[in-house]
């Protein structure tokens, strides 16, 4: 097979980390190719768009703490691809509902991935291109995907940690970095109610039972009216039942939702709620962080990016993509992905939900 083309850099993965890195390098004048296994960009910033409605079934919202991400969010707000989500969010502790700590939460408009689509505009992205092998030669990289070969001086791997290590030789320093982080799964159920449920919140962190998060998707800005609900199971329960049949998982999650509705809507006749779609996120959230580890090898033209190089959220993915691109631009500078808070994940009770 002959190389399809030679680029300054090939970025593997079109999620927030990969698109941020690609956009930064393209704006610096590099020729960039992004290879993505799926048929569209966004990765875990995903929305299930169906005739009967839409569900954001991956990332639910994001926060912005670092200077660089806050500046980017301000730009998205001005352009309209992001809005602040101000609806009431509750915390359920098993006995009572309380209001979640007030904080600035942002969502993509009208879909979670909308800001990422803006950044991706004009980028050369090849879809349905599952990268199966990368090989370093003296001065360049050979990347194999979809029965084709790409050649590039640099490569950025912007994937979840397990998918990153699968592409790296065992024993290499980069492989050990990716090997240091495990990722938790998350089972997601998209549901529809036959009549308005009248829940006293737009979304809730659930700190008891098998569910971690419940959202009424239509109560996010920019979404059509409707009764579309999204349930995320906890990381622990998702791990235990990751390979159970979808029918079994759906009925267990639905039964749990109905149990919670009986608490939250006492004395009300609860309308029928029906499962519509189900998704298994195998690598939803990093259970530790590799923020303190090296993630760029300028002498090899290799950089890693992804949320697991920070605190496992969208902001970390963005910052890691920017850090990877800047480090390759500066060549001699060794930078590890940085977000303002690089401590290992510390969860408050409110945050027992997957995110
Ligand atoms: C259920 C769930 C809820 C979440 N909730 C929140 C939240 O509320 N707030 C928040 O900030 N974050 C949340 N997150 C995390 C957030 O979605 C991620 O931090 C962020 O989207 C990660 O971006 P990324 O670019 O690092 O990885 P990804 O989005 O995973 O992108 C990686 C891309 O690489 C592609 N790919 C994989 N392997 C290959 C290969 N071999 N070849 C080519 N392409 C490949 C994938 O298809 C994907 O598009 C949530 C995630 C999940 C799953």
């Amino acid at each position: 097979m002959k190389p399809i083309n030679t680029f300054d850099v090939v970025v593997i993965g079109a999620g927030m980390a990969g698109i941020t890195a690609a956009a930064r390098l393209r704006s610096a004048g590099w020729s960039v190719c992004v290879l993505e296994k799926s048929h569209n960009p966004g990765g875990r910033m995903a929305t299930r768009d169906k005739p009967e409605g839409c569900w954001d079934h991956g990332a639910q919202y994001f926060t912005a703490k670092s200077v660089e991400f806050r500046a980017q969010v301000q730009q998205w707000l001005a352009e309209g691809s992001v809005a602040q989500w101000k609806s009431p969010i509750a915390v359920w502790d098993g006995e009572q509902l309380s209001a979640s700590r007030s904080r600035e939460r942002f969502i993509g408009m009208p879909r979670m991935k909308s800001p990422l689509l803006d950044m991706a505009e004009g980028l050369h992205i090849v879809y349905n291109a599952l990268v199966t092998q990368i090989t370093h030669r003296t001065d360049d990289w050979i990347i194999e995907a979809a029965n084709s070969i790409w050649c590039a001086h640099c490569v950025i791997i912007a994937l979840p940690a397990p998918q990153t290590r699968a592409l790296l030789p065992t024993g290499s320093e980069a492989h050990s970095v990716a090997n240091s982080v495990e990722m938790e799964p998350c089972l997601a159920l998209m549901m529809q109610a036959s009549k308005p449920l009248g829940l006293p919140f737009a979304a809730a962190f659930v700190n008891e039972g098998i569910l971690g998060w419940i959202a009424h998707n239509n109560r996010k800005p920019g979404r059509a009216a409707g009764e579309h609900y999204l349930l995320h199971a906890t990381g622990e329960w998702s791990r235990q039942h990751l390979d159970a049949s979808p029918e079994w998982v759906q009925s267990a999650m639905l039964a749990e939702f109905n149990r919670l509705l009986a608490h939250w809507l006492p004395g009300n006749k609860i309308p029928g709620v029906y499962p519509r779609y189900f998704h298994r996120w195998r690598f939803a959230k990093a259970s530790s962080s590799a923020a303190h580890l090296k993630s760029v090898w300028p002498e090899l033209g290799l950089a890693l990016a992804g949320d697991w190089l920070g605190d496992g959220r969208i902001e970390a993915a963005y910052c890691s993509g920017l850090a990877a691109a800047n480090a390759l631009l500066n060549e001699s500078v060794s930078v590890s992905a940085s977000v303002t808070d690089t401590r290992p994940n510390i969860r408050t009770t409110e945050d027992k939900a997957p995110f």
Side-chain angles (χ1 to χ4, degrees):
M1 275 185 290
K2 280 195 177 159
I4 285 192
N5 219 329
T6 299
F7 293 87
D8 292 328
V9 61
V10 160
V11 177
I12 307 172
M16 179 54 90
I19 293 296
T20 303
R24 170 77 184 104
L25 289 167
R26 186 194 50 176
S27 73
W30 286 32
S31 61
V32 182
C33 174
V34 182
L35 299 177
E36 165 57 49
K37 75 169 180 176
S38 175
H39 57 280
N40 56 30
R44 282 169 277 161
M45 293 173 75
T47 301
R48 190 66 62 94
D49 220 326
K50 292 286 178 186
E52 63 270 41
C54 289
W55 293 264
D56 296 322
H57 64 297
Q60 294 297 295
Y61 64 84
F62 54 90
T63 49
K65 294 186 244 166
S66 60
V67 174
E68 62 267 53
F69 193 55
R70 287 193 72 80
Q72 178 63 78
V73 171
Q74 284 310 315
Q75 190 184 325
W76 288 333
L77 285 167
E79 291 165 356
S81 61
V82 157
Q84 226 181 304
W85 189 23
K86 295 182 177 167
S87 311
I89 297 188
V91 181
W92 169 250
D93 65 5
E95 285 180 7
Q96 56 181 17
L97 285 168
S98 54
S100 157
R101 242 176 313 142
S102 137
R103 59 168 66 167
E104 274 185 322
R105 296 184 171 96
F106 302 97
I107 58 157
M109 286 274 286
R111 307 277 179 266
M112 275 311 286
K113 70 170 75 165
S114 299
L116 187 143
L117 294 181
D118 281 1
M119 283 200 295
E121 215 171 291
L123 280 175
H124 177 66
I125 307 180
V126 183
Y127 296 109
N128 303 310
L130 171 75
V131 175
T132 48
Q133 193 166 341
I134 62 170
T135 314
H136 187 233
R137 300 190 307 195
T138 320
D139 276 332
D140 53 15
W141 287 89
I142 297 295
I143 299 113
E144 294 177 38
N147 293 323
S148 301
I149 288 183
W150 281 261
C151 183
H153 301 303
C154 296
V155 68
I156 297 180
I157 309 179
L159 309 177
Q163 290 166 317
T164 299
R165 64 180 172 253
L167 290 179
L168 292 165
T170 315
S172 65
E173 196 182 359
H175 182 275
S176 335
V177 172
N179 208 22
S180 69
V181 172
E182 289 306 328
M183 298 195 61
E184 278 182 358
C186 177
L187 296 172
L189 185 60
M190 292 152 259
M191 321 213 311
Q192 194 166 3
S194 55
K195 289 190 185 146
L197 293 183
L199 287 173
F201 50 75
F205 294 97
V206 181
N207 290 335
E208 169 249 350
I210 69 170
L211 301 180
W213 169 261
I214 289 173
H216 184 183
N217 207 69
N218 315 80
R219 289 186 69 181
K220 292 180 174 176
R223 274 66 176 171
E227 290 296 310
H228 301 98
Y229 294 85
L230 180 273
L231 312 182
H232 280 159
T234 62
E236 194 184 338
W237 195 82
S238 299
R239 199 175 326 104
Q240 283 165 5
H241 303 289
L242 189 57
D243 293 313
S245 76
E247 295 73 24
W248 184 86
V249 172
Q250 285 178 34
S251 71
M253 289 175 75
L254 177 61
E256 181 74 343
F257 188 45
N258 277 317
R259 181 182 73 81
L260 291 168
L261 289 178
H263 274 293
W264 297 334
L265 305 169
N268 292 18
K269 185 170 179 330
I270 297 169
V273 185
Y274 308 98
R276 287 287 192 198
Y277 301 97
F278 167 70
H279 190 84
R280 282 188 188 97
W281 292 103
R282 287 194 180 270
F283 308 120
K285 165 112 173 117
S287 40
S288 58
S289 162
H292 54 293
L293 298 177
K294 181 174 171 178
S295 58
V296 181
W297 292 265
E299 69 286 4
L300 297 176
L302 171 66
L304 308 183
D307 60 345
W308 56 278
L309 288 157
D311 71 358
R313 292 181 167 92
I314 288 170
E315 177 170 18
Y318 175 90
C319 291
S320 76
L322 203 58
N326 285 338
L328 290 182
L329 284 170
N330 296 334
E331 282 273 300
S332 55
V333 186
S334 176
V335 184
S336 62
S338 66
V339 289
T340 40
D341 186 352
T342 55
R343 295 168 302 168
N345 292 336
I346 297 170
R347 295 264 166 86
T348 62
T349 15
E350 179 168 310
D351 283 336
K352 192 205 113 200
F355 295 86

